[in-house]
Structures are given as C-alpha cells and as structure tokens.
C-alpha cells in the first residue's frame, strides 16, 4: 500500500503540474492501487474517475485476478468510493483479450448494478489486436460486439484509441452514447495507426483527448494537441485551434457526461481551470507577441506549449498546483 500511495502522489502531481483536473484512469489489477489513488484525490477534492483493472487471462500470473475475485474487489471499491465527494468508479476490463467471457459477463453485471458507473477499456488500438479478438471470440461479429454482448457499452462507456473501428462499430458507438478517447502521443509512439476524428465524429460519437501516459509520451494536453494536429494532417484533416481547445476541455467533459459540472467557465460550474503562462518560454513569449487573434494564440500554445505553460491549476476554485518561480 505504501508503494501504491507513493505512485498515486507522483501521478497526481504530474497531472496537476500539466493542468489536468479530471482524468479517467486505469488502476492496476490490485485494488490497493485504486484505494491509494482515490485517497490522494479526495485529499485534493478532485473530480476523478478510476477503476481496478480486470484481467484473468493472457497476462503474467502475478498480474491476474479471477472473474469472481475481480467482481468482488470491484464491488467493494464501488461501495467505498463511487459518488464519494467528487469521485467516480469505472468498471475496468483491461481489454477483451485479457478477460474471459465469464469475467466480461460479471463486469457487465457490475456496470448494470450501480447507477452512474463508468466503463473503461481499450478497443481497436492496432490491427494485430483486432485479429486476436476475432480468434478469441469467433462467435462475435467484431471487437465492439464483444463488449456489446456483455452489456459494456452505453453512456459513460469510454473506449481508448478506436483507431481501426469499422463503420458499423462507429455507428453503434454513436447510437449508444458511448465515447472514444483519442490518444495521439501513444498512437504515434507505438505505431498503432492514425485516429480518424472526422469519421468517428461523423457517426455522432463523443470524443475526448487522452494522454494514455502508459503508452504515450507526455502528461500535457497541449503536447497531445500538438501530436493530434499532425495525426490529422496526415489524413488531410485540419485541427482548428478552437476545436483543439474543445477536445481538451468541454469535449472531454462531454465524453464523460460531466459537461453539466466541468469543461468551461459558465456560472454554476465547479471552477476547475488552468492559468496559462504566456511567457513560459522565450519562444512562446515571442510567438504570442506576434499573434493578433485568440485563435492564433491558442494555436501557438498548442504547438509550442507543454507543462512549462501551466502557471497554476485550480480544482473547485482552490489552487492545487502553482509553478515555482
């Protein structure tokens, strides 16, 4: 537990230093990781979502649970943390290949048993993974259908990556109110492929920006937008600076069904926000001095910015990080 608490403090420190006030987080397969994370979040009054990873096959034995123990541990964590303060629980199968049908069935049971739970997993990150799912679940018509069959799609279901989704899967995600997390630094670093934002949004799917720091290269949403811009450029799509800001703020909140509480600065919202430093680096200072519109300023920040551009981070109106100096 001491190790889990140390890692939770480090992780949250990095999130806040980079200006992230809400995140949907994979724990480990150990329930202590989730306890430690939520303890650290509660102390800071953060609106955060997390869950214990469920994984009962195709992984090292010391990192697996069972269908029954995963259900029992998750239920215990839900009863302890879900809805406490600003905390939410996510039922979290790592991804279909590492859960047996029995575990996915119990995950779907959990998802239906408690109101306002989240479901968080991976989908269609790379082509080999998609083929592996077909081999493991030959009775299902596709990757998303595995989750659909087990009752794991719908509002507050968030699927990481979604690079290789077919049209029917995008349509189903859209009509069920499910969401996809666009993780550009991870997708490029791992060579997984290029996320087709226009296609996915064209089917009405909610999309937020993710860092996927397990496979990605930065905690910074600004740095992630830099990479998102390039991912879309390679597909002849343009990422407008205002749209980019939306993906990192209100778009993410909407993907999480939290846009009534966070995501912008409207009266009545929870005052989770970031103060950016226009003089964070000499180059940012110079480039912004040449900008004449808000759009130009935002574009410069998303291309040149990173953690150094975050001056102060607020959660529920209280400062939870201030840059030294």
């Amino acid at each position: 537990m001491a190790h889990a608490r140390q890692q939770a403090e480090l992780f949250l420190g990095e999130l806040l230093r980079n200006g992230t006030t809400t995140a949907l987080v994979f724990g480990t397969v150990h329930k202590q990781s989730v306890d430690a994370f939520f303890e650290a979040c509660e102390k800071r009054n953060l609106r955060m979502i997390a869950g214990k990873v469920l994984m009962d096959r195709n992984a090292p034995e010391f990192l697996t649970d069972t269908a029954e123990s995963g259900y029992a541990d998750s239920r215990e964590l839900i009863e302890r943390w879900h809805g406490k303060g600003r905390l939410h629980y996510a039922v979290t199968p790592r991804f279909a290949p590492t859960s047996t049908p029995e575990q996915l069935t119990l995950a779907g049971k959990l998802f239906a048993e408690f109101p306002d739970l989240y479901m968080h997993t991976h989908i269609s990150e790379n082509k080999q993974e998609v083929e592996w799912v077909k081999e493991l679940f030959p009775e299902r018509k596709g990757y998303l259908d595995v989750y659909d069959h087990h009752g794991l799609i719908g509002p507050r279901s968030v699927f990481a990556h979604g690079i290789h989704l077919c049209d029917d899967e995008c349509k189903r995600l859209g009509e069920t109110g499910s969401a996809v997390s666009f993780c550009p630094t991870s997708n490029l670093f791992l060579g997984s492929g290029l996320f087709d934002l226009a296609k996915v949004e064209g089917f009405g799917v909610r999309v937020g920006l993710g860092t996927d720091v397990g496979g990605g290269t930065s905690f910074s949403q600004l740095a992630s937008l830099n990479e998102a811009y390039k991912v879309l450029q390679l597909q002849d799509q343009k990422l407008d600076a205002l749209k980019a800001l939306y993906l990192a703020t209100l778009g993410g909140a909407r993907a999480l069904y939290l846009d009534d509480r966070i995501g912008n600065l409207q009266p009545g919202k929870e005052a989770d926000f970031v103060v950016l430093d226009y003089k964070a680096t000499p180059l940012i200072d110079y480039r912004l001095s040449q900008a004449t519109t808000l759009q130009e300023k935002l574009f410069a920040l998303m291309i040149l910015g990173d953690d150094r551009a975050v001056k102060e981070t607020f959660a529920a109106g209280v400062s939870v990080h201030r840059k030294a100096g």
Side-chain angles (χ1 to χ4, degrees), residues 11-12 15-16 18-25 37-38 41 45-50 86-88 118 181 208-211 219 221 247-259 261-264 270-274 313-316 320:
F11 177 77
L12 275 179
L15 281 185
L16 298 175
N18 281 274
T20 296
T21 56
T22 293
L24 176 56
V25 178
F37 178 72
F38 280 146
C41 293
N45 193 27
L46 302 177
R47 186 165 290 287
M48 289 283 175
I49 313 163
R86 304 176 75 209
L87 304 175
H88 312 264
Y118 286 81
S181 179
L209 185 71
T211 55
F219 278 81
Q221 292 281 64
L247 287 174
T249 55
L250 188 59
R254 185 169 176 265
L256 297 172
Y257 287 80
L258 291 173
D259 48 307
R261 284 169 269 188
I262 58 174
N264 59 22
E270 293 180 346
D272 290 358
F273 63 93
V274 176
T313 305
F314 287 82
V320 288

Side-chain angles (χ1 to χ4, degrees), residues 191-213:
S192 302
L194 304 175
F195 180 72
D196 191 339
L197 180 63
K199 171 185 169 179
V200 174
E201 287 191 327
F203 284 95
V205 181
R206 297 169 183 240
V207 178
L209 185 71
T211 55
D212 184 27
V213 292

Side-chain angles (χ1 to χ4, degrees), residues 4 18 30 33-34 40 50 66 87 112 173 186 253 267 294:
N18 281 274
H30 314 97
S33 69
V34 179
T66 68
L87 304 175
L173 287 169
S186 170
L294 174 61

